[in-house]
Amino acid sequence: MLIKSSLEYRQGTFLHFRIGRLRKVYELTETGRERFQQLMEQPLEYNAETERHFHFKMVYFQYVTKDVRLACLEQYLKFLQTTYKYVANLEAQIISQKPSPEKQRIQLLRVFEHRKHVGAADIEWITTEIERIKKEE
């Protein structure tokens, strides 16, 4: 999902007084605005690009309604929680099955511990952000 490349822009020019040269100015057409809204309202897909798409959407939150922002945050929270549970389940399997070699198993458990730590921090931050936005008027 690349919002910028799939929107329509209308081009104009204006004089920039400080620099003294013409600059191109772009604005969205009505069709572009509608497409932007569609893309922002589109649910996040759960794949390798989910985090990047979420952050891209978050940059443009000021242009969408509170409901769209909350929906996006809640979708991302669900993604984070699902990922956390997946890593925790893998960790439990490694602990119970004790595959060899031992040094590799120990290091793999350290990787899972790191992923869980990062995941927990992300979940906490998103949860706080959801609460903050819910309190907005």
Side-chain angles (χ1 to χ4, degrees):
M1 173 198 101
L2 288 175
I3 291 176
K4 189 173 182 180
S5 65
S6 61
L7 301 178
E8 290 185 18
Y9 290 90
R10 183 172 38 236
Q11 182 178 336
T13 57
F14 76 98
L15 184 61
H16 191 277
F17 291 103
R18 279 194 326 187
I19 298 175
R21 64 180 187 174
L22 290 177
R23 253 182 82 190
K24 292 180 182 178
V25 176
Y26 297 90
E27 70 179 357
L28 286 174
T29 63
E30 189 55 38
T31 303
R33 274 188 212 79
E34 290 170 9
R35 181 68 179 136
F36 172 78
Q37 285 298 318
Q38 290 172 353
L39 290 169
M40 290 296 285
E41 292 172 5
Q42 184 176 319
L44 291 168
E45 292 182 28
Y46 294 171
N47 57 37
E49 297 294 316
T50 303
E51 183 176 3
R52 188 173 67 87
H53 289 167
F54 168 73
H55 287 144
F56 192 82
K57 282 185 173 191
M58 202 174 162
V59 168
Y60 295 100
F61 272 4
Q62 75 266 21
Y63 300 112
V64 295
T65 65
K66 179 179 179 177
D67 289 340
V68 172
R69 286 180 278 151
L70 284 172
C72 185
L73 286 163
E74 288 165 357
Q75 291 164 18
Y76 190 60
L77 177 60
K78 185 177 177 186
F79 168 76
L80 292 171
Q81 291 168 333
T82 301
T83 303
Y84 186 92
K85 287 176 188 172
Y86 177 76
V87 170
N89 287 338
L90 285 175
E91 180 185 49
Q93 287 177 4
I94 296 296
I95 290 170
S96 69
Q97 295 174 4
K98 298 184 181 180
S100 358
E102 178 69 12
K103 286 183 180 182
Q104 185 174 359
R105 183 178 77 82
I106 291 169
Q107 197 56 40
L108 187 55
L109 289 172
R110 304 244 337 119
V111 169
F112 289 154
E113 184 63 28
H114 174 253
R115 287 300 312 136
K116 285 176 32 187
H117 182 77
V118 170
D122 285 346
I123 288 168
E124 181 181 348
W125 192 90
I126 293 295
T127 302
T128 301
E129 189 69 2
I130 288 170
E131 292 307 314
R132 185 188 67 77
I133 290 174
K134 282 181 177 179
K135 292 176 184 175
E136 288 180 357
E137 291 184 28

mmCIF file of all heavy atoms in Angstrom, residues 19-56:
data_model
loop_
_atom_site.group_PDB
_atom_site.id
_atom_site.type_symbol
_atom_site.label_atom_id
_atom_site.label_comp_id
_atom_site.label_asym_id
_atom_site.label_seq_id
_atom_site.Cartn_x
_atom_site.Cartn_y
_atom_site.Cartn_z
ATOM 1 N N ILE A 19 13.214 32.657 -1.497
ATOM 2 C CA ILE A 19 14.245 32.151 -2.394
ATOM 3 C C ILE A 19 14.192 32.892 -3.725
ATOM 4 O O ILE A 19 15.196 33.052 -4.395
ATOM 5 C CB ILE A 19 14.085 30.624 -2.603
ATOM 6 C CG1 ILE A 19 14.247 29.923 -1.266
ATOM 7 C CG2 ILE A 19 15.074 30.094 -3.622
ATOM 8 C CD1 ILE A 19 13.991 28.444 -1.316
ATOM 9 N N GLY A 20 13.022 33.387 -4.099
ATOM 10 C CA GLY A 20 12.891 34.149 -5.330
ATOM 11 C C GLY A 20 12.794 33.283 -6.580
ATOM 12 O O GLY A 20 13.120 33.738 -7.659
ATOM 13 N N ARG A 21 12.349 32.049 -6.457
ATOM 14 C CA ARG A 21 12.196 31.201 -7.630
ATOM 15 C C ARG A 21 10.850 30.495 -7.576
ATOM 16 O O ARG A 21 10.255 30.315 -6.516
ATOM 17 C CB ARG A 21 13.331 30.191 -7.728
ATOM 18 C CG ARG A 21 13.365 29.223 -6.600
ATOM 19 C CD ARG A 21 14.501 28.256 -6.738
ATOM 20 N NE ARG A 21 14.336 27.250 -5.681
ATOM 21 C CZ ARG A 21 15.049 26.200 -5.554
ATOM 22 N NH1 ARG A 21 16.014 25.964 -6.409
ATOM 23 N NH2 ARG A 21 14.845 25.343 -4.583
ATOM 24 N N LEU A 22 10.391 30.042 -8.716
ATOM 25 C CA LEU A 22 9.120 29.342 -8.785
ATOM 26 C C LEU A 22 9.277 27.923 -8.236
ATOM 27 O O LEU A 22 10.291 27.286 -8.449
ATOM 28 C CB LEU A 22 8.624 29.263 -10.232
ATOM 29 C CG LEU A 22 8.162 30.581 -10.834
ATOM 30 C CD1 LEU A 22 7.766 30.361 -12.289
ATOM 31 C CD2 LEU A 22 6.997 31.166 -10.054
ATOM 32 N N ARG A 23 8.269 27.474 -7.532
ATOM 33 C CA ARG A 23 8.230 26.125 -6.998
ATOM 34 C C ARG A 23 6.933 25.479 -7.408
ATOM 35 O O ARG A 23 5.897 26.128 -7.438
ATOM 36 C CB ARG A 23 8.243 26.182 -5.468
ATOM 37 C CG ARG A 23 9.534 25.773 -4.856
ATOM 38 C CD ARG A 23 9.465 25.817 -3.351
ATOM 39 N NE ARG A 23 8.846 24.605 -2.844
ATOM 40 C CZ ARG A 23 8.475 24.440 -1.595
ATOM 41 N NH1 ARG A 23 8.615 25.405 -0.728
ATOM 42 N NH2 ARG A 23 7.942 23.317 -1.201
ATOM 43 N N LYS A 24 6.962 24.205 -7.700
ATOM 44 C CA LYS A 24 5.742 23.480 -8.012
ATOM 45 C C LYS A 24 5.028 23.141 -6.723
ATOM 46 O O LYS A 24 5.639 22.719 -5.755
ATOM 47 C CB LYS A 24 6.057 22.196 -8.782
ATOM 48 C CG LYS A 24 6.598 22.466 -10.162
ATOM 49 C CD LYS A 24 6.885 21.168 -10.874
ATOM 50 C CE LYS A 24 7.480 21.479 -12.237
ATOM 51 N NZ LYS A 24 7.813 20.271 -12.962
ATOM 52 N N VAL A 25 3.725 23.316 -6.727
ATOM 53 C CA VAL A 25 2.893 22.973 -5.581
ATOM 54 C C VAL A 25 1.880 21.944 -6.055
ATOM 55 O O VAL A 25 1.283 22.092 -7.115
ATOM 56 C CB VAL A 25 2.160 24.215 -5.034
ATOM 57 C CG1 VAL A 25 1.234 23.830 -3.900
ATOM 58 C CG2 VAL A 25 3.160 25.252 -4.587
ATOM 59 N N TYR A 26 1.690 20.909 -5.262
ATOM 60 C CA TYR A 26 0.755 19.850 -5.611
ATOM 61 C C TYR A 26 -0.377 19.838 -4.599
ATOM 62 O O TYR A 26 -0.165 20.079 -3.418
ATOM 63 C CB TYR A 26 1.451 18.487 -5.610
ATOM 64 C CG TYR A 26 2.548 18.389 -6.639
ATOM 65 C CD1 TYR A 26 3.855 18.736 -6.334
ATOM 66 C CD2 TYR A 26 2.264 17.951 -7.928
ATOM 67 C CE1 TYR A 26 4.856 18.644 -7.278
ATOM 68 C CE2 TYR A 26 3.256 17.850 -8.884
ATOM 69 C CZ TYR A 26 4.548 18.199 -8.554
ATOM 70 O OH TYR A 26 5.523 18.106 -9.496
ATOM 71 N N GLU A 27 -1.566 19.545 -5.088
ATOM 72 C CA GLU A 27 -2.693 19.343 -4.189
ATOM 73 C C GLU A 27 -3.499 18.157 -4.700
ATOM 74 O O GLU A 27 -3.480 17.837 -5.881
ATOM 75 C CB GLU A 27 -3.558 20.592 -4.076
ATOM 76 C CG GLU A 27 -4.341 20.921 -5.305
ATOM 77 C CD GLU A 27 -5.218 22.161 -5.126
ATOM 78 O OE1 GLU A 27 -5.264 22.742 -4.038
ATOM 79 O OE2 GLU A 27 -5.858 22.504 -6.107
ATOM 80 N N LEU A 28 -4.172 17.511 -3.791
ATOM 81 C CA LEU A 28 -4.967 16.340 -4.164
ATOM 82 C C LEU A 28 -6.212 16.764 -4.931
ATOM 83 O O LEU A 28 -6.853 17.758 -4.591
ATOM 84 C CB LEU A 28 -5.406 15.575 -2.916
ATOM 85 C CG LEU A 28 -4.370 14.757 -2.187
ATOM 86 C CD1 LEU A 28 -4.962 14.187 -0.902
ATOM 87 C CD2 LEU A 28 -3.852 13.647 -3.055
ATOM 88 N N THR A 29 -6.570 15.986 -5.927
ATOM 89 C CA THR A 29 -7.857 16.179 -6.595
ATOM 90 C C THR A 29 -8.923 15.533 -5.714
ATOM 91 O O THR A 29 -8.609 14.821 -4.746
ATOM 92 C CB THR A 29 -7.864 15.496 -7.976
ATOM 93 O OG1 THR A 29 -7.706 14.091 -7.788
ATOM 94 C CG2 THR A 29 -6.767 16.047 -8.879
ATOM 95 N N GLU A 30 -10.170 15.743 -6.035
ATOM 96 C CA GLU A 30 -11.251 15.118 -5.270
ATOM 97 C C GLU A 30 -11.156 13.588 -5.359
ATOM 98 O O GLU A 30 -11.327 12.890 -4.371
ATOM 99 C CB GLU A 30 -12.620 15.590 -5.763
ATOM 100 C CG GLU A 30 -13.766 15.142 -4.876
ATOM 101 C CD GLU A 30 -13.611 15.534 -3.411
ATOM 102 O OE1 GLU A 30 -13.118 16.641 -3.108
ATOM 103 O OE2 GLU A 30 -13.965 14.706 -2.549
ATOM 104 N N THR A 31 -10.814 13.080 -6.539
ATOM 105 C CA THR A 31 -10.634 11.633 -6.705
ATOM 106 C C THR A 31 -9.481 11.143 -5.832
ATOM 107 O O THR A 31 -9.569 10.084 -5.214
ATOM 108 C CB THR A 31 -10.352 11.297 -8.188
ATOM 109 O OG1 THR A 31 -11.430 11.795 -8.973
ATOM 110 C CG2 THR A 31 -10.200 9.818 -8.408
ATOM 111 N N GLY A 32 -8.413 11.920 -5.760
ATOM 112 C CA GLY A 32 -7.269 11.572 -4.921
ATOM 113 C C GLY A 32 -7.634 11.558 -3.449
ATOM 114 O O GLY A 32 -7.190 10.684 -2.702
ATOM 115 N N ARG A 33 -8.459 12.535 -3.022
ATOM 116 C CA ARG A 33 -8.895 12.570 -1.621
ATOM 117 C C ARG A 33 -9.721 11.332 -1.276
ATOM 118 O O ARG A 33 -9.563 10.735 -0.216
ATOM 119 C CB ARG A 33 -9.726 13.827 -1.347
ATOM 120 C CG ARG A 33 -8.919 15.031 -0.985
ATOM 121 C CD ARG A 33 -9.854 16.169 -0.532
ATOM 122 N NE ARG A 33 -9.294 17.447 -0.881
ATOM 123 C CZ ARG A 33 -9.315 18.017 -2.072
ATOM 124 N NH1 ARG A 33 -9.900 17.425 -3.078
ATOM 125 N NH2 ARG A 33 -8.754 19.184 -2.284
ATOM 126 N N GLU A 34 -10.601 10.965 -2.196
ATOM 127 C CA GLU A 34 -11.434 9.785 -1.968
ATOM 128 C C GLU A 34 -10.573 8.529 -1.885
ATOM 129 O O GLU A 34 -10.784 7.674 -1.019
ATOM 130 C CB GLU A 34 -12.472 9.641 -3.087
ATOM 131 C CG GLU A 34 -13.543 10.712 -3.041
ATOM 132 C CD GLU A 34 -14.427 10.722 -4.285
ATOM 133 O OE1 GLU A 34 -14.321 9.790 -5.120
ATOM 134 O OE2 GLU A 34 -15.227 11.659 -4.408
ATOM 135 N N ARG A 35 -9.603 8.415 -2.771
ATOM 136 C CA ARG A 35 -8.717 7.247 -2.766
ATOM 137 C C ARG A 35 -7.884 7.206 -1.484
ATOM 138 O O ARG A 35 -7.673 6.140 -0.894
ATOM 139 C CB ARG A 35 -7.805 7.264 -3.998
ATOM 140 C CG ARG A 35 -6.879 6.084 -4.088
ATOM 141 C CD ARG A 35 -7.635 4.787 -4.344
ATOM 142 N NE ARG A 35 -6.686 3.692 -4.434
ATOM 143 C CZ ARG A 35 -6.844 2.516 -3.860
ATOM 144 N NH1 ARG A 35 -7.945 2.254 -3.189
ATOM 145 N NH2 ARG A 35 -5.931 1.582 -3.967
ATOM 146 N N PHE A 36 -7.413 8.362 -1.044
ATOM 147 C CA PHE A 36 -6.662 8.455 0.211
ATOM 148 C C PHE A 36 -7.501 7.921 1.364
ATOM 149 O O PHE A 36 -7.032 7.110 2.165
ATOM 150 C CB PHE A 36 -6.243 9.910 0.472
ATOM 151 C CG PHE A 36 -5.645 10.134 1.828
ATOM 152 C CD1 PHE A 36 -4.334 9.780 2.083
ATOM 153 C CD2 PHE A 36 -6.395 10.695 2.851
ATOM 154 C CE1 PHE A 36 -3.777 9.974 3.343
ATOM 155 C CE2 PHE A 36 -5.851 10.893 4.107
ATOM 156 C CZ PHE A 36 -4.541 10.531 4.349
ATOM 157 N N GLN A 37 -8.746 8.371 1.455
ATOM 158 C CA GLN A 37 -9.640 7.902 2.518
ATOM 159 C C GLN A 37 -9.829 6.387 2.448
ATOM 160 O O GLN A 37 -9.795 5.705 3.466
ATOM 161 C CB GLN A 37 -11.003 8.608 2.439
ATOM 162 C CG GLN A 37 -10.983 10.030 2.927
ATOM 163 C CD GLN A 37 -10.593 10.138 4.393
ATOM 164 O OE1 GLN A 37 -11.012 9.365 5.246
ATOM 165 N NE2 GLN A 37 -9.768 11.132 4.704
ATOM 166 N N GLN A 38 -10.031 5.860 1.246
ATOM 167 C CA GLN A 38 -10.191 4.418 1.079
ATOM 168 C C GLN A 38 -8.961 3.665 1.587
ATOM 169 O O GLN A 38 -9.083 2.657 2.287
ATOM 170 C CB GLN A 38 -10.423 4.062 -0.388
ATOM 171 C CG GLN A 38 -11.752 4.482 -0.932
ATOM 172 C CD GLN A 38 -11.829 4.271 -2.446
ATOM 173 O OE1 GLN A 38 -10.844 3.929 -3.089
ATOM 174 N NE2 GLN A 38 -13.009 4.491 -3.001
ATOM 175 N N LEU A 39 -7.793 4.152 1.209
ATOM 176 C CA LEU A 39 -6.560 3.476 1.622
ATOM 177 C C LEU A 39 -6.347 3.562 3.127
ATOM 178 O O LEU A 39 -5.886 2.602 3.748
ATOM 179 C CB LEU A 39 -5.357 4.068 0.877
ATOM 180 C CG LEU A 39 -5.297 3.743 -0.614
ATOM 181 C CD1 LEU A 39 -4.223 4.589 -1.286
ATOM 182 C CD2 LEU A 39 -5.039 2.265 -0.830
ATOM 183 N N MET A 40 -6.682 4.698 3.719
ATOM 184 C CA MET A 40 -6.515 4.844 5.167
ATOM 185 C C MET A 40 -7.515 3.974 5.930
ATOM 186 O O MET A 40 -7.211 3.487 7.016
ATOM 187 C CB MET A 40 -6.655 6.312 5.576
ATOM 188 C CG MET A 40 -5.488 7.187 5.128
ATOM 189 S SD MET A 40 -3.910 6.742 5.880
ATOM 190 C CE MET A 40 -4.122 7.404 7.535
ATOM 191 N N GLU A 41 -8.704 3.776 5.356
ATOM 192 C CA GLU A 41 -9.726 2.963 6.009
ATOM 193 C C GLU A 41 -9.523 1.465 5.758
ATOM 194 O O GLU A 41 -10.074 0.639 6.478
ATOM 195 C CB GLU A 41 -11.113 3.381 5.524
ATOM 196 C CG GLU A 41 -11.506 4.766 5.997
ATOM 197 C CD GLU A 41 -12.783 5.276 5.363
ATOM 198 O OE1 GLU A 41 -13.452 4.524 4.609
ATOM 199 O OE2 GLU A 41 -13.123 6.446 5.612
ATOM 200 N N GLN A 42 -8.736 1.137 4.767
ATOM 201 C CA GLN A 42 -8.484 -0.263 4.409
ATOM 202 C C GLN A 42 -7.800 -0.982 5.564
ATOM 203 O O GLN A 42 -6.816 -0.488 6.109
ATOM 204 C CB GLN A 42 -7.603 -0.290 3.164
ATOM 205 C CG GLN A 42 -7.326 -1.646 2.601
ATOM 206 C CD GLN A 42 -6.518 -1.513 1.310
ATOM 207 O OE1 GLN A 42 -6.764 -0.647 0.500
ATOM 208 N NE2 GLN A 42 -5.546 -2.383 1.161
ATOM 209 N N PRO A 43 -8.318 -2.146 5.950
ATOM 210 C CA PRO A 43 -7.693 -2.885 7.059
ATOM 211 C C PRO A 43 -6.242 -3.257 6.747
ATOM 212 O O PRO A 43 -5.878 -3.474 5.594
ATOM 213 C CB PRO A 43 -8.548 -4.150 7.176
ATOM 214 C CG PRO A 43 -9.838 -3.809 6.521
ATOM 215 C CD PRO A 43 -9.507 -2.816 5.441
ATOM 216 N N LEU A 44 -5.439 -3.310 7.788
ATOM 217 C CA LEU A 44 -4.055 -3.733 7.633
ATOM 218 C C LEU A 44 -4.008 -5.211 7.274
ATOM 219 O O LEU A 44 -4.746 -6.017 7.838
ATOM 220 C CB LEU A 44 -3.289 -3.528 8.945
ATOM 221 C CG LEU A 44 -3.029 -2.098 9.380
ATOM 222 C CD1 LEU A 44 -2.534 -2.080 10.825
ATOM 223 C CD2 LEU A 44 -2.038 -1.425 8.471
ATOM 224 N N GLU A 45 -3.149 -5.548 6.335
ATOM 225 C CA GLU A 45 -2.910 -6.954 6.027
ATOM 226 C C GLU A 45 -1.802 -7.438 6.961
ATOM 227 O O GLU A 45 -0.860 -6.714 7.231
ATOM 228 C CB GLU A 45 -2.469 -7.112 4.575
ATOM 229 C CG GLU A 45 -3.548 -6.789 3.574
ATOM 230 C CD GLU A 45 -3.079 -6.995 2.141
ATOM 231 O OE1 GLU A 45 -2.190 -7.835 1.912
ATOM 232 O OE2 GLU A 45 -3.602 -6.301 1.276
ATOM 233 N N TYR A 46 -1.929 -8.652 7.425
ATOM 234 C CA TYR A 46 -0.922 -9.210 8.314
ATOM 235 C C TYR A 46 0.110 -9.949 7.480
ATOM 236 O O TYR A 46 -0.122 -11.067 7.031
ATOM 237 C CB TYR A 46 -1.550 -10.136 9.340
ATOM 238 C CG TYR A 46 -2.467 -9.439 10.324
ATOM 239 C CD1 TYR A 46 -3.251 -10.161 11.195
ATOM 240 C CD2 TYR A 46 -2.542 -8.055 10.390
ATOM 241 C CE1 TYR A 46 -4.079 -9.531 12.113
ATOM 242 C CE2 TYR A 46 -3.367 -7.420 11.295
ATOM 243 C CZ TYR A 46 -4.133 -8.163 12.152
ATOM 244 O OH TYR A 46 -4.943 -7.530 13.056
ATOM 245 N N ASN A 47 1.246 -9.289 7.271
ATOM 246 C CA ASN A 47 2.346 -9.873 6.511
ATOM 247 C C ASN A 47 3.639 -9.169 6.911
ATOM 248 O O ASN A 47 3.661 -8.413 7.889
ATOM 249 C CB ASN A 47 2.079 -9.770 5.000
ATOM 250 C CG ASN A 47 1.855 -8.342 4.540
ATOM 251 O OD1 ASN A 47 2.478 -7.414 5.027
ATOM 252 N ND2 ASN A 47 0.941 -8.160 3.592
ATOM 253 N N ALA A 48 4.687 -9.369 6.158
ATOM 254 C CA ALA A 48 5.995 -8.786 6.484
ATOM 255 C C ALA A 48 5.988 -7.259 6.398
ATOM 256 O O ALA A 48 6.863 -6.599 6.970
ATOM 257 C CB ALA A 48 7.067 -9.353 5.561
ATOM 258 N N GLU A 49 5.016 -6.679 5.713
ATOM 259 C CA GLU A 49 4.957 -5.224 5.533
ATOM 260 C C GLU A 49 4.001 -4.535 6.510
ATOM 261 O O GLU A 49 3.843 -3.318 6.452
ATOM 262 C CB GLU A 49 4.516 -4.906 4.099
ATOM 263 C CG GLU A 49 5.486 -5.396 3.035
ATOM 264 C CD GLU A 49 6.821 -4.681 3.103
ATOM 265 O OE1 GLU A 49 6.836 -3.449 3.265
ATOM 266 O OE2 GLU A 49 7.852 -5.372 3.013
ATOM 267 N N THR A 50 3.377 -5.273 7.400
ATOM 268 C CA THR A 50 2.355 -4.700 8.284
ATOM 269 C C THR A 50 2.885 -3.525 9.093
ATOM 270 O O THR A 50 2.251 -2.471 9.161
ATOM 271 C CB THR A 50 1.783 -5.779 9.225
ATOM 272 O OG1 THR A 50 1.251 -6.845 8.437
ATOM 273 C CG2 THR A 50 0.692 -5.219 10.117
ATOM 274 N N GLU A 51 4.035 -3.682 9.702
ATOM 275 C CA GLU A 51 4.589 -2.606 10.537
ATOM 276 C C GLU A 51 4.860 -1.355 9.713
ATOM 277 O O GLU A 51 4.518 -0.245 10.127
ATOM 278 C CB GLU A 51 5.870 -3.072 11.227
ATOM 279 C CG GLU A 51 6.448 -2.031 12.163
ATOM 280 C CD GLU A 51 7.662 -2.542 12.918
ATOM 281 O OE1 GLU A 51 8.100 -3.675 12.695
ATOM 282 O OE2 GLU A 51 8.175 -1.765 13.740
ATOM 283 N N ARG A 52 5.440 -1.524 8.531
ATOM 284 C CA ARG A 52 5.741 -0.381 7.665
ATOM 285 C C ARG A 52 4.460 0.316 7.227
ATOM 286 O O ARG A 52 4.374 1.548 7.253
ATOM 287 C CB ARG A 52 6.543 -0.841 6.450
ATOM 288 C CG ARG A 52 7.058 0.298 5.590
ATOM 289 C CD ARG A 52 7.979 -0.208 4.495
ATOM 290 N NE ARG A 52 7.298 -1.016 3.506
ATOM 291 C CZ ARG A 52 6.683 -0.503 2.432
ATOM 292 N NH1 ARG A 52 6.681 0.774 2.222
ATOM 293 N NH2 ARG A 52 6.098 -1.313 1.569
ATOM 294 N N HIS A 53 3.439 -0.447 6.846
ATOM 295 C CA HIS A 53 2.169 0.144 6.428
ATOM 296 C C HIS A 53 1.496 0.880 7.585
ATOM 297 O O HIS A 53 0.945 1.965 7.395
ATOM 298 C CB HIS A 53 1.239 -0.917 5.865
ATOM 299 C CG HIS A 53 1.685 -1.431 4.541
ATOM 300 N ND1 HIS A 53 1.169 -2.558 3.975
ATOM 301 C CD2 HIS A 53 2.602 -0.985 3.656
ATOM 302 C CE1 HIS A 53 1.735 -2.784 2.812
ATOM 303 N NE2 HIS A 53 2.632 -1.836 2.603
ATOM 304 N N PHE A 54 1.565 0.286 8.771
ATOM 305 C CA PHE A 54 0.990 0.944 9.940
ATOM 306 C C PHE A 54 1.675 2.286 10.194
ATOM 307 O O PHE A 54 1.018 3.300 10.396
ATOM 308 C CB PHE A 54 1.092 0.055 11.180
ATOM 309 C CG PHE A 54 0.781 0.803 12.438
ATOM 310 C CD1 PHE A 54 -0.523 1.171 12.733
ATOM 311 C CD2 PHE A 54 1.789 1.184 13.305
ATOM 312 C CE1 PHE A 54 -0.823 1.900 13.874
ATOM 313 C CE2 PHE A 54 1.508 1.899 14.451
ATOM 314 C CZ PHE A 54 0.200 2.263 14.739
ATOM 315 N N HIS A 55 2.991 2.303 10.171
ATOM 316 C CA HIS A 55 3.717 3.556 10.422
ATOM 317 C C HIS A 55 3.423 4.587 9.340
ATOM 318 O O HIS A 55 3.302 5.781 9.634
ATOM 319 C CB HIS A 55 5.223 3.292 10.538
ATOM 320 C CG HIS A 55 5.591 2.616 11.805
ATOM 321 N ND1 HIS A 55 6.580 1.676 11.889
ATOM 322 C CD2 HIS A 55 5.088 2.722 13.060
ATOM 323 C CE1 HIS A 55 6.676 1.245 13.136
ATOM 324 N NE2 HIS A 55 5.776 1.865 13.860
ATOM 325 N N PHE A 56 3.304 4.151 8.116
ATOM 326 C CA PHE A 56 2.966 5.073 7.035
ATOM 327 C C PHE A 56 1.589 5.686 7.276
ATOM 328 O O PHE A 56 1.419 6.905 7.162
ATOM 329 C CB PHE A 56 3.001 4.338 5.687
ATOM 330 C CG PHE A 56 2.946 5.253 4.517
ATOM 331 C CD1 PHE A 56 4.094 5.877 4.055
ATOM 332 C CD2 PHE A 56 1.743 5.503 3.877
ATOM 333 C CE1 PHE A 56 4.051 6.740 2.972
ATOM 334 C CE2 PHE A 56 1.689 6.374 2.795
ATOM 335 C CZ PHE A 56 2.844 6.980 2.345
#
